[in-house]
């Protein structure tokens, strides 16, 4: 219940806006118009105003767009396209500042980089960063594959690998979105040295599922090479499925050593018990 309520608080909306932003920039690569740039600006402002962590999806779509321009995956003059893109980003920055100005005027800038528990999103020491990163990656992997068998999880991951390697055959763009995710997000996380909550990356879940099925469906075409790869992958999945999947579970000591998780559990214990009783009555 806690997971669903926090996701619905803004992260589902952010995921929807991220997909709209990506779709808008995809169209702008080949066909510009004032209406589409206006939509891009409006979506960017709405994303930033939904939750401050909208910085991550916005950087992803912008990185993908700039990489597409750099490799010539466009049908418009690159200088004109970049000029309009920069103007739009400036407009997004101004609009976001205006919307957040009442908060800044009353409470200062601290609410923009701290959560409700007082945890900061700014830089921490490397030891704390690495230890928390391990916890959050484990929780994210568990959350994204909750209710999915071990072999099913490996199958989805294999599909992502296939779709990335054979990107030019499964997509009509030159730049894989996964590349934009790595180039755009990794430097920010390393600079901040903060491991965001797993719900922060919810906007990437549709990308993950889409890449997984794109790779799997590509190899569904019966060709000798695809049959060989599928057979090899099937043998690997069967063998891997026999290995105890202890690494996909969240160890109790990791949860207890994670201050954020402990804070959430202690804060919502009464609400959780109420939910359990309600489900029992139902």
């Amino acid at each position: 219940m806690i997971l669903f309520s926090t996701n619905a608080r803004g992260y589902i909306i952010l995921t929807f806006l991220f997909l709209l932003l990506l779709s808008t920039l995809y169209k702008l690569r080949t066909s510009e118009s004032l209406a589409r740039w206006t939509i891009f600006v409006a979506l960017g402002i709405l994303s930033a105003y939904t939750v401050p962590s909208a910085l991550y999806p916005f950087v992803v779509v912008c990185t993908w767009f700039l990489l597409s321009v750099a490799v010539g995956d466009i049908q418009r003059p690159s200088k004109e396209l970049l000029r309009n893109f920069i103007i739009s980003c400036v407009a997004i920055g101004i609009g976001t500042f205006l919307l957040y100005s009442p908060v800044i005027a009353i409470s200062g800038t601290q609410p923009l980089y701290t959560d409700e528990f007082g945890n900061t999103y700014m830089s921490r020491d490397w030891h704390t960063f690495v230890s928390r990163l391990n916890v959050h990656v484990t929780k994210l992997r568990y959350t994204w594959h909750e209710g999915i068998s071990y072999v099913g999880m490996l199958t989805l991951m294999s599909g992502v690998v296939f779709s990335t390697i054979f990107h030019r055959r499964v997509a009509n763009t030159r730049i894989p979105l996964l590349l934009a995710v790595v180039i755009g997000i990794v430097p920010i996380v390393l600079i901040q040295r903060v491991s965001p909550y797993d719900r922060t990356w919810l906007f990437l879940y549709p990308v993950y599922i889409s890449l997984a099925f794109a790779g799997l469906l590509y190899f569904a075409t019966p060709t000798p090479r695809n049959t060989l790869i599928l057979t090899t992958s099937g043998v690997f999945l069967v063998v891997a499925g026999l290995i105890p999947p202890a690494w996909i579970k969240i160890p109790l000591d990791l949860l207890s050593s994670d201050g954020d998780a402990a804070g959430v559990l202690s804060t919502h214990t009464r609400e959780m018990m109420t939910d359990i009783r309600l489900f029992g009555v139902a």
Side-chain angles (χ1 to χ4, degrees):
M1 268 321 219
I2 295 175
L3 177 63
F4 294 150
S5 62
T6 53
N7 286 345
R9 185 175 58 190
Y11 296 96
I12 293 294
I13 300 175
L14 184 60
T15 301
F16 176 66
L17 294 174
F18 163 72
L19 296 176
L20 292 179
L21 277 169
L22 187 62
S23 176
T24 303
L25 283 182
Y26 175 81
K27 295 291 186 181
L28 284 169
R29 292 181 312 113
T30 56
S31 178
E32 285 190 276
S33 68
L34 179 60
R36 284 177 178 169
W37 282 117
T38 303
I39 292 174
F40 172 69
V41 172
L43 291 174
I45 294 175
L46 287 175
S47 299
Y49 191 62
T50 301
V51 285
S53 60
L55 170 68
Y56 299 114
F58 186 75
V59 167
V60 169
V61 297
C62 289
T63 301
W64 177 82
F65 181 77
L66 292 175
L67 290 175
S68 298
V69 173
V71 301
D73 192 16
I74 56 177
Q75 296 180 7
R76 300 283 296 175
S78 58
K79 290 184 179 180
E80 180 182 351
L81 197 61
L82 284 176
R83 182 196 64 190
N84 294 335
F85 175 74
I86 293 174
I87 293 174
S88 299
C89 288
V90 172
I92 291 174
I94 295 174
T96 301
F97 175 77
L98 291 176
L99 290 178
Y100 275 106
S101 56
V103 177
I104 297 175
I106 296 176
S107 304
T109 59
Q110 185 176 0
L112 300 179
Y113 57 85
T114 57
D115 59 17
E116 62 269 32
F117 304 110
N119 300 313
T120 179
Y121 298 133
M122 306 304 288
S123 299
R124 294 170 175 163
D125 61 275
W126 283 104
H127 175 73
T128 304
F129 167 68
V130 173
S131 62
R132 289 182 175 239
L133 182 64
N134 179 40
V135 174
H136 286 292
V137 169
T138 303
K139 290 169 61 179
L140 179 65
R141 187 171 59 225
Y142 177 83
T143 301
W144 279 18
H145 301 97
E146 187 174 3
I148 301 177
S149 66
Y150 181 50
V151 174
M153 181 193 67
L154 293 179
T155 302
L156 291 176
M157 290 183 173
S158 301
V160 174
V161 174
F162 291 154
S163 64
T164 302
I165 295 176
F166 300 99
H167 172 75
R168 294 300 300 274
R169 300 188 181 185
V170 301
N172 57 1
T173 59
R174 297 184 185 178
I175 301 298
L177 189 59
L178 186 60
L179 178 63
V181 172
V182 174
I183 295 178
I185 290 182
V186 171
I188 297 178
V189 173
L190 292 179
I191 291 173
Q192 291 181 321
R193 294 201 297 273
V194 172
S195 303
Y197 295 117
D198 52 342
R199 60 179 178 266
T200 304
W201 311 116
L202 183 63
F203 72 95
L204 290 176
Y205 189 69
V207 176
Y208 173 71
I209 295 298
S210 299
L211 291 177
F213 279 94
L216 294 174
L217 290 175
Y218 171 71
F219 284 102
T221 305
T223 63
R225 185 191 62 181
N226 291 354
T227 302
L228 176 62
I229 294 178
L230 280 178
T231 302
T232 305
S233 302
V235 173
F236 168 77
L237 292 175
V238 171
V239 174
L242 299 177
I243 302 175
W247 62 277
I248 69 171
K249 298 181 182 298
I250 304 180
L252 184 59
D253 57 340
L254 287 181
L255 282 178
S256 60
S257 64
D258 182 13
D260 297 338
V264 172
L265 292 175
S266 61
T267 302
H268 296 281
T269 299
R270 182 172 300 177
E271 287 81 354
M272 288 179 65
M273 295 305 297
T274 302
D275 291 336
I276 292 174
R277 287 195 296 270
L278 289 175
F279 278 118
V281 172

